[in-house]
Amino acid sequence: MKFYAGLRPWSCVLIVIFTTSVAGAADLPSWNDGLAKTTITDFVSRVTKVGGPDFVPPDERIAAFDNDGTLWTEQPVYFQGAFALDRVKALASQHPEWKTKEPFKSVLVGDMQPLAATGQKGILEVIAVTHAGMTTEEFSKTVSDWIATAKHKRFDRPYVELVYQPMIELLQYLRANGFKTFIVSGGGIEFMRPWTNKVYGIPPEQVVGSSGVTKFEEGADGRPVLMKEAKIEFIDDGPGKPVGINRFIGRRPILAFGNSDGDQQMLEWTAAGSGPRFMAIVHHTDEKREYAYDRKSHVGKLDKAWDEATERGWTLVDMAKDWKVIYPFEKQ
Amino acid sequence: MKFYAGLRPWSCVLIVIFTTSVAGAADLPSWNDGLAKTTITDFVSRVTKVGGPDFVPPDERIAAFDNDGTLWTEQPVYFQGAFALDRVKALASQHPEWKTKEPFKSVLVGDMQPLAATGQKGILEVIAVTHAGMTTEEFSKTVSDWIATAKHKRFDRPYVELVYQPMIELLQYLRANGFKTFIVSGGGIEFMRPWTNKVYGIPPEQVVGSSGVTKFEEGADGRPVLMKEAKIEFIDDGPGKPVGINRFIGRRPILAFGNSDGDQQMLEWTAAGSGPRFMAIVHHTDEKREYAYDRKSHVGKLDKAWDEATERGWTLVDMAKDWKVIYPFEKQ
């Protein structure tokens, strides 16, 4: 505070005012001109216009983004699923019993059918052995190591390179306009936090996701640890998303972006607030550059939320038409 | 961004550098000179000194504060308890059966003994009828109305005036030095969020607390609502505090402030991280201006955490000696 007086504080104030209220096409270079882009920039212009009828104070500019299929690719399997299967393989030598025990036996020889056939039961078993029985710090390190080395088969690239360039630009554009950006994902909160800040500019405390129970204990060296238990605590999906938003953020977003039926209630919750609202869905229409799927997909099914979006005039982003590039590496 | 070039951006950068690294006595005017104050300002100087051995990037300057007894008074009963009892009285006309049913019968005539005698059971019953069976929005409004009107008997002032002026200054001082301040309280998260931003400058998304289950439903008018159910979801107290910190914040604080045994594990968790750490306890030693209590108190018992603090050299703040004023109104 002391050094303020001599240093032309007004120029600083002016910069802040200008940079937080300027919405322009130049900010979203990977978006084609069209309805989706215009709807976004119009909304941002309205809520940031000081004295305008739709002005929203920066403090209340809460933006919620689904992750899988909205900020990064989710096909052919959720990336956290790929992580879990890689961990089963890595841990197999410590579990000789898996050679004869389903669903592990089949997973180890690359046959996913028996796992899929068990439904939630088998998946929870896999989650239990790959996401629990270790401290939160150990798990975080396991995720960081995996994300730095594992590659998506089709693209032969690390998973964090399969984020959507237009959405990265949108996150930056919103933050430059005073928004606080949050992830609200069905994915595991501790699976996302080790890398979201670096990849999306979203710090751990702005990541909402599904979680397992953790327990405070004394560790082997006497230091306290948080042990991850094989027990689901919270599923941040479908009707769980508004619950997670209320629990973690404690206020209602004015903007929400999803891509599947798992995001429908988050979009409804966002829409139900008063004042200006923006709800959007990424529609995966680009088989060539990414994937094309909607009503019949096992991963990221978009059916009821699509109907509701159409009926209520929410923004539909057509990946093939609206995005100049999908991934950051396409720019190079 | 566009307007940056013409406006002497360097002056702005300089201001930011200076204002986020200046730690001085002038920032904590209600603190007496002494060990507690010096320890705080020394710690902040060290972690903000660019290039110094203890420098911590702003992003990782996470500060966690207990609320009851650390940021505001908690005697003779937790203020949320006073809220619950006021609500029982307000709701009594809708519940004629309470006239003959404990613990409500006694509460309604001002006798707290039968409620205390039931232990957790009775308190949970009171919480169930006063904190559930309504939407999150309705509850938030009830809290806001109560906090604006109810008064503490001894001081004859609204509860939000019974916050500690030295701690308000500390929160501001930390934020001016790049810290992100969080509340980590055993109190109800939805009881705190309606007023913490105004009173402490801590927004809803930086409040961690105990919570009840909420359920996404269609409301009477077709709009979706979150209904508060009479079921405890999470107790953010004792060993629950590191769990809550991990769940909501997702990184370990470098500074934590508490006042009772319920904060012990939060302080241990903070202490167990690597790099510079600051742990402190507010000791209630001022019967005249506030209250004096520690090892034998039913509310805010400070016993084991005090021993650990002494043993490990954590900072002990002696309210009577270290604070020039307790409450903001004393300054007037």
Side-chain angles (χ1 to χ4, degrees):
Chain A
M1 298 301 205
K2 303 179 190 67
F3 293 83
Y4 232 84
L7 283 169
R8 307 184 55 147
W10 281 105
S11 68
C12 198
V13 172
L14 285 172
I15 289 168
V16 172
I17 290 171
F18 281 121
T19 53
T20 59
S21 66
V22 171
D27 297 297
L28 299 170
S30 300
W31 290 71
N32 284 314
D33 291 330
L35 188 60
K37 181 176 176 173
T38 310
T39 311
I40 293 168
T41 54
D42 281 359
F43 176 77
V44 171
S45 297
R46 284 193 290 124
V47 300
T48 54
K49 191 178 163 62
V50 180
D54 286 336
F55 178 75
V56 175
D59 218 32
E60 290 164 28
R61 292 178 204 158
I62 304 287
F65 288 83
D66 171 55
N67 184 39
D68 298 307
T70 299
L71 296 180
W72 74 352
T73 290
E74 62 183 348
Q75 295 283 4
V77 291
Y78 294 122
F79 294 174
Q80 190 173 358
F83 164 76
L85 298 180
D86 281 353
R87 291 303 301 157
V88 167
K89 289 172 196 162
L91 294 167
S93 64
Q94 297 166 40
H95 293 273
E97 74 279 11
W98 288 354
K99 278 182 195 153
T100 53
K101 190 186 170 195
E102 291 293 4
F104 302 102
K105 181 185 163 191
S106 302
V107 165
L108 288 173
V109 296
D111 176 10
M112 297 299 146
Q113 195 49 44
L115 175 61
T118 67
Q120 213 181 347
K121 185 177 165 290
I123 289 163
L124 286 178
E125 276 186 83
V126 170
I127 294 280
V129 298
T130 55
H131 287 64
M134 68 196 91
T135 69
T136 50
E137 284 177 322
E138 286 161 354
F139 183 72
S140 176
K141 188 177 179 313
T142 306
V143 170
S144 296
D145 290 348
W146 181 83
I147 211 99
T149 54
K151 286 186 176 179
H152 189 282
K153 284 204 183 110
R154 173 175 160 191
F155 296 99
D156 194 29
R157 287 187 178 264
Y159 291 98
V160 287
E161 291 187 18
L162 302 179
V163 297
Y164 305 135
Q165 176 62 25
M167 296 303 282
I168 301 282
E169 291 167 10
L170 177 59
L171 291 170
Q172 289 166 344
Y173 168 72
L174 290 171
R175 289 193 293 260
N177 281 282
F179 282 76
K180 202 162 180 176
T181 52
F182 288 82
I183 289 173
V184 179
S185 167
I189 197 165
E190 307 217 39
F191 176 74
M192 295 182 281
R193 282 174 165 167
W195 50 269
T196 55
N197 206 3
K198 201 172 160 192
V199 174
Y200 301 132
I202 297 180
E205 62 270 25
Q206 285 162 228
V207 176
V208 182
S210 298
S211 56
V213 171
T214 63
K215 203 175 161 199
F216 184 78
E217 291 181 2
E218 190 168 307
D221 58 357
R223 279 176 71 228
V225 295
L226 288 171
M227 283 299 292
K228 285 175 66 66
E229 302 195 334
K231 203 171 150 192
I232 302 275
E233 176 185 77
F234 176 59
I235 301 286
D236 188 51
D237 196 34
K241 288 207 175 189
V243 170
I245 287 170
N246 180 65
R247 181 185 302 178
F248 283 78
I249 309 177
R251 37 187 168 188
R252 197 190 296 261
I254 65 166
L255 178 153
F257 234 103
N259 78 298
S260 76
D261 285 359
D263 302 310
Q264 188 172 7
Q265 289 83 358
M266 171 172 79
L267 295 164
E268 290 173 350
W269 180 244
T270 302
S274 58
R277 307 273 121 195
F278 179 87
M279 286 65 61
I281 286 176
V282 175
H283 188 190
H284 293 262
T285 52
D286 198 325
E287 197 163 19
K288 203 173 155 196
R289 294 187 297 175
E290 204 239 10
Y291 295 92
Y293 57 98
D294 41 54
R295 293 193 197 275
K296 293 190 176 159
S297 180
H298 290 294
V299 172
K301 179 177 176 176
L302 174 63
D303 183 33
K304 290 181 186 169
W306 188 3
D307 291 340
E308 188 171 358
T310 307
E311 200 179 300
R312 301 183 64 176
W314 296 344
T315 297
L316 279 160
V317 175
D318 182 323
M319 286 179 82
K321 289 186 191 156
D322 286 316
W323 290 357
K324 281 183 196 155
V325 298
I326 306 284
Y327 299 124
F329 58 79
E330 293 172 41
K331 292 197 303 175
Q332 291 153 11
Chain B
M1 298 300 203
K2 301 181 190 66
F3 294 83
Y4 234 84
L7 283 168
R8 307 184 52 150
W10 282 106
S11 68
C12 199
V13 171
L14 285 172
I15 289 167
V16 171
I17 291 172
F18 281 120
T19 56
T20 60
S21 65
V22 173
D27 297 299
L28 298 170
S30 300
W31 290 71
N32 284 314
D33 290 330
L35 188 60
K37 181 175 176 175
T38 309
T39 312
I40 293 168
T41 54
D42 281 358
F43 176 77
V44 171
S45 296
R46 284 193 289 125
V47 301
T48 55
K49 190 177 165 61
V50 182
D54 287 336
F55 179 74
V56 175
D59 219 32
E60 291 164 29
R61 292 179 204 158
I62 304 289
F65 288 83
D66 170 55
N67 184 40
D68 298 308
T70 300
L71 296 180
W72 74 353
T73 290
E74 62 184 348
Q75 295 284 4
V77 292
Y78 293 124
F79 296 174
Q80 189 173 359
F83 164 77
L85 298 179
D86 281 355
R87 291 303 300 157
V88 166
K89 289 171 195 162
L91 294 166
S93 64
Q94 298 166 41
H95 293 273
E97 75 278 11
W98 288 354
K99 279 181 196 152
T100 53
K101 191 185 169 195
E102 291 293 6
F104 302 101
K105 182 185 164 191
S106 301
V107 166
L108 289 173
V109 297
D111 176 11
M112 297 301 147
Q113 194 49 46
L115 174 62
T118 67
Q120 213 181 350
K121 185 178 165 290
I123 290 164
L124 287 178
E125 276 186 81
V126 170
I127 294 280
V129 299
T130 55
H131 287 65
M134 68 197 90
T135 69
T136 50
E137 283 177 321
E138 285 161 354
F139 183 72
S140 176
K141 191 180 176 311
T142 306
V143 171
S144 297
D145 290 348
W146 181 83
I147 211 100
T149 54
K151 285 186 176 178
H152 189 282
K153 282 201 184 115
R154 172 175 161 190
F155 296 98
D156 194 30
R157 289 190 175 260
Y159 291 98
V160 287
E161 291 187 18
L162 302 179
V163 297
Y164 305 135
Q165 175 63 23
M167 296 303 283
I168 302 282
E169 290 167 11
L170 177 58
L171 291 170
Q172 289 165 345
Y173 167 71
L174 290 172
R175 290 193 292 261
N177 280 283
F179 282 76
K180 202 162 180 178
T181 52
F182 289 82
I183 289 173
V184 178
S185 168
I189 197 165
E190 308 217 42
F191 176 74
M192 296 183 280
R193 281 173 166 166
W195 51 269
T196 54
N197 206 2
K198 201 172 158 192
V199 174
Y200 301 133
I202 297 180
E205 62 272 22
Q206 286 162 228
V207 176
V208 181
S210 297
S211 56
V213 171
T214 64
K215 202 176 161 200
F216 183 79
E217 290 181 2
E218 189 168 307
D221 58 357
R223 277 176 74 227
V225 295
L226 288 172
M227 284 299 292
K228 284 175 68 63
E229 302 195 335
K231 204 172 147 192
I232 302 276
E233 176 186 75
F234 176 58
I235 301 285
D236 188 52
D237 196 34
K241 287 206 175 188
V243 171
I245 287 170
N246 179 64
R247 181 186 299 176
F248 283 77
I249 308 177
R251 37 187 167 187
R252 195 190 299 260
I254 65 166
L255 178 153
F257 235 103
N259 78 300
S260 76
D261 285 358
D263 302 311
Q264 188 173 9
Q265 289 83 357
M266 171 173 79
L267 295 165
E268 290 172 352
W269 180 245
T270 302
S274 57
R277 308 273 120 195
F278 179 87
M279 286 66 59
I281 286 177
V282 175
H283 188 190
H284 293 262
T285 51
D286 198 326
E287 198 163 18
K288 202 173 156 197
R289 294 186 298 175
E290 204 238 11
Y291 295 92
Y293 58 98
D294 41 53
R295 294 194 197 274
K296 293 189 176 160
S297 179
H298 290 294
V299 172
K301 178 177 177 176
L302 174 63
D303 183 33
K304 289 181 187 170
W306 188 4
D307 291 338
E308 188 171 358
T310 306
E311 198 178 302
R312 301 182 63 177
W314 297 344
T315 298
L316 280 160
V317 175
D318 182 324
M319 287 179 81
K321 289 186 191 155
D322 286 318
W323 290 357
K324 282 184 195 156
V325 298
I326 307 284
Y327 298 124
F329 57 79
E330 293 172 40
K331 291 196 305 175
Q332 292 155 13

